[in-house]
Amino acid sequence: MLKDKVAYITGGSKGIGLGVAKSLLEQGMKVAISGRNLETVIAAAKTLEHEDYVLPLSSDVTVLDDEKDVISTILDKWGRLDVVLANAGVGHFAPVDQMEEDSWKQMIDTNLTGVFHTLKASVEALKVTEGYYMTLASLAGTNFFAQGAGYNATKFGVVGFTQAVMLDLRKYGIKVSTIMPGSVSTYFNDNEPSVKDAWKIQPEDIGKLVVDLLNMHPRTLPSKIEVRPTRPDLK
């Protein structure tokens, strides 16, 4: 069902993005991954099996033209686009009275405007294939916490944006979902994944979830998926 379909993942050089790429490649899909630093993305691509099915690309999701160029490159190489995962994100955490304006703007531009740019650049290609657009939100998109004003604002925004987009695009046969993980073992917020993170969701778990969504019957759409560690008491 998924063999030879084409996916694009932003923020695909590590963490959840790379984990999803691995899972899709195991299904026989072709996968483009992007990040701001092309050398980093190329290095990540070389760690993946089925490297011939991987297209490393450079893009800053805060720049719409970058995302348009990426989509054009994917279509030129593979002729179609079936799945898009808007995964790129950043986080800065501080009490609101101490938060720097630059930190606020970077989160808004990357986590929220970047998601819009990725959709804007890819939506016409997804109409052709009746494809699937996914965003990577967070449980922070429904649960607010101290020192998270900026991050909460972006993830609440991503959840609302994605749900409205789902209503706009389903008439074209495009499925739209937002995935809202809790704690995941990634490099996010300067974490270094290790055995201490064994209790957390692993990137490959999100990859399996994405595959399950893609294999679901076309008549059925889980539009908002919350996923959390089973045993946070083990941390």
Side-chain angles (χ1 to χ4, degrees), residues 2 7 29-30 43 58 61 69 146 149 162 225 227 229 235:
L2 299 180
M29 292 183 65
K30 300 169 182 176
S58 174
V61 297
D69 288 345
T162 310
I225 303 98
V227 54
K235 61 184 175 182

Side-chain angles (χ1 to χ4, degrees), residues 34 44 56 65-66 68 77 82 90 107 128 131 135 138 220-221 224:
S34 75
D65 283 345
D66 276 14
K68 288 181 176 179
K77 182 173 179 63
D82 301 276
V90 297
M107 286 189 287
V128 173
T135 62
S138 168
T220 304
L221 176 63
K224 183 169 66 172

Side-chain angles (χ1 to χ4, degrees), residues 132-135 137-139 141-143 155-156 158-164 166 175-181 209 213 220-228:
Y132 210 135
Y133 181 74
M134 301 181 188
T135 62
S138 168
L139 290 181
T142 192
N143 301 307
K155 293 304 183 178
F156 270 72
V158 169
V159 172
F161 171 81
T162 310
Q163 295 298 281
M166 178 268 295
K175 283 188 169 187
V176 179
S177 299
T178 188
I179 300 171
M180 304 168 62
L209 174 58
L213 288 172
T220 304
L221 176 63
S223 58
K224 183 169 66 172
I225 303 98
E226 294 189 6
V227 54
R228 46 180 49 81

Side-chain angles (χ1 to χ4, degrees), residues 142-156:
T142 192
N143 301 307
F144 51 84
F145 55 91
Q147 300 188 34
Y151 190 70
N152 282 143
T154 63
K155 293 304 183 178
F156 270 72

Side-chain angles (χ1 to χ4, degrees), residues 52-68:
D52 291 344
Y53 276 46
V54 182
L55 178 61
L57 297 166
S58 174
S59 179
D60 181 343
V61 297
T62 70
V63 180
L64 178 57
D65 283 345
D66 276 14
E67 286 295 272
K68 288 181 176 179

Side-chain angles (χ1 to χ4, degrees), residues 41-84:
V41 181
I42 291 172
K46 290 180 178 178
T47 70
L48 296 167
E49 294 185 26
H50 316 291
E51 189 182 343
D52 291 344
Y53 276 46
V54 182
L55 178 61
L57 297 166
S58 174
S59 179
D60 181 343
V61 297
T62 70
V63 180
L64 178 57
D65 283 345
D66 276 14
E67 286 295 272
K68 288 181 176 179
D69 288 345
V70 160
I71 300 303
S72 178
T73 301
I74 294 169
L75 295 176
D76 286 345
K77 182 173 179 63
W78 287 321
R80 61 184 295 147
L81 181 62
D82 301 276
V83 179
V84 174

